[in-house]
Amino acid sequence: QKEVEQNSGPLSVPEGAIASLNCTYSDRGSQSFFWYRQYSGKSPELIMSIYSNGDKEDGRFTAQLNKASQYVSLLIRDSQPSDSATYLCAVNKVNFGNEKLTFGTGTRLTIIP
Amino acid sequence: EPEVTQTPSHQVTQMGQEVILRCVPISNHLYFYWYRQILGQKVEFLVSFYNNEISEKSEIFDDQFSVERPDGSNFTLKIRSTKLEDSAMYFCASRLYRGNEAFFGQGTRLTVV
């Protein structure tokens, strides 16, 4: 089982609609979860962090976390063409007190005007 | 807004040569990382660094790799004898506290020929 799993897409969503991105993780001990946006050839850009079960909203973005199901999601409301990018789910993995981000392969999102 | 800066943005080197990739993390951050991303693949952890020593390193980070924080601001990754398979984007990241958001630099594209 992959440590962090995402559907690679591509996911196509009409402009103005809601884009829904999903991620599952294998390490039950993980405590911190992040969504990064990556444009082609660029670096990961942090868009959301979530640490506790439930929803966290920031502007058009909502992150959802369900630790019992080991599931993280990202909703993008009122999708814009500029949201077209690859979205990376990252899970903070702790190993003997040391921690690092483990990334999924990313979901490529295309917003259709 | 504080940011992680990396130089150079692109480095071309001959196989067997040494390269040094440079990073200036966000000034009050305490934890530093190098990740890499081979074209079309996911972002992979290389090494973490805290309190002037390596906290954790991945299997990729073999004896050809080393990191240093020589002067309290720069954080460098050295590859002693580059191989073709070292061609990738290398990202530096920093975070203030363990477990919270990590911010990435814009990356160095390393091409080994």
Side-chain angles (χ1 to χ4, degrees):
Chain A
Q1 184 187 8
K2 290 181 186 173
E3 292 182 280
V4 180
E5 202 146 357
Q6 296 181 254
N7 187 326
S8 61
L11 176 65
S12 296
V13 172
E15 183 175 356
I18 295 175
S20 177
L21 303 159
N22 304 314
C23 171
T24 57
Y25 60 94
S26 61
D27 183 0
R28 263 192 193 280
S30 300
Q31 295 293 321
S32 311
F33 306 87
F34 307 93
W35 284 98
Y36 287 84
R37 178 175 61 199
Q38 187 176 34
Y39 294 113
S40 182
K42 303 296 185 184
S43 64
E45 175 193 6
L46 180 69
I47 51 172
M48 288 290 287
S49 60
I50 188 164
Y51 304 97
S52 53
N53 280 331
D55 294 2
K56 179 182 177 186
E57 188 174 317
D58 184 0
R60 295 186 297 112
F61 299 97
T62 299
Q64 299 172 316
L65 173 61
N66 183 328
K67 289 186 182 178
S69 302
Q70 295 172 247
Y71 176 87
V72 196
S73 66
L74 179 71
L75 300 177
I76 307 174
R77 286 182 299 284
D78 188 23
S79 297
Q80 303 297 308
S82 59
D83 295 327
S84 296
T86 297
Y87 288 80
L88 309 178
C89 174
V91 175
N92 201 56
K93 189 175 168 67
V94 181
N95 183 30
F96 297 103
N98 299 313
E99 44 82 48
K100 63 179 185 243
L101 291 176
T102 300
F103 284 85
T105 52
T107 298
R108 190 153 54 94
L109 174 65
T110 301
I111 306 301
I112 304 166
Chain B
E1 186 174 313
E3 58 180 15
V4 178
T5 57
Q6 290 185 241
T7 54
S9 55
H10 191 188
Q11 173 97 44
V12 181
T13 189
Q14 288 202 317
M15 193 168 53
Q17 294 297 302
E18 175 183 287
V19 294
I20 297 176
L21 310 183
R22 301 180 194 279
C23 169
V24 179
I26 295 172
S27 63
N28 61 338
H29 282 191
L30 302 175
Y31 296 85
F32 313 112
Y33 307 83
W34 285 99
Y35 290 82
R36 81 170 185 192
Q37 187 176 31
I38 294 169
L39 187 64
Q41 298 187 22
K42 67 178 184 177
V43 177
E44 300 175 287
F45 168 77
L46 290 179
V47 66
S48 58
F49 192 88
Y50 169 70
N51 202 24
N52 280 321
E53 60 183 25
I54 290 175
S55 306
E56 186 178 355
K57 53 187 181 180
S58 72
E59 295 167 352
I60 304 166
F61 194 90
D62 62 20
D63 293 343
Q64 295 301 311
F65 290 85
S66 62
V67 289
E68 202 175 42
R69 188 157 158 82
D71 57 12
S73 61
N74 291 286
F75 179 49
T76 61
L77 174 70
K78 184 195 295 188
I79 310 175
R80 245 180 293 285
S81 177
T82 49
K83 309 186 199 64
L84 294 176
E85 54 265 36
D86 294 329
S87 296
M89 281 286 281
Y90 287 80
F91 298 112
C92 173
S94 70
R95 68 200 324 177
L96 178 57
Y97 301 119
R98 187 182 293 178
N100 81 335
E101 292 99 347
F103 295 92
F104 282 73
Q106 78 276 27
T108 294
R109 179 176 299 282
L110 177 66
T111 304
V112 183
V113 297

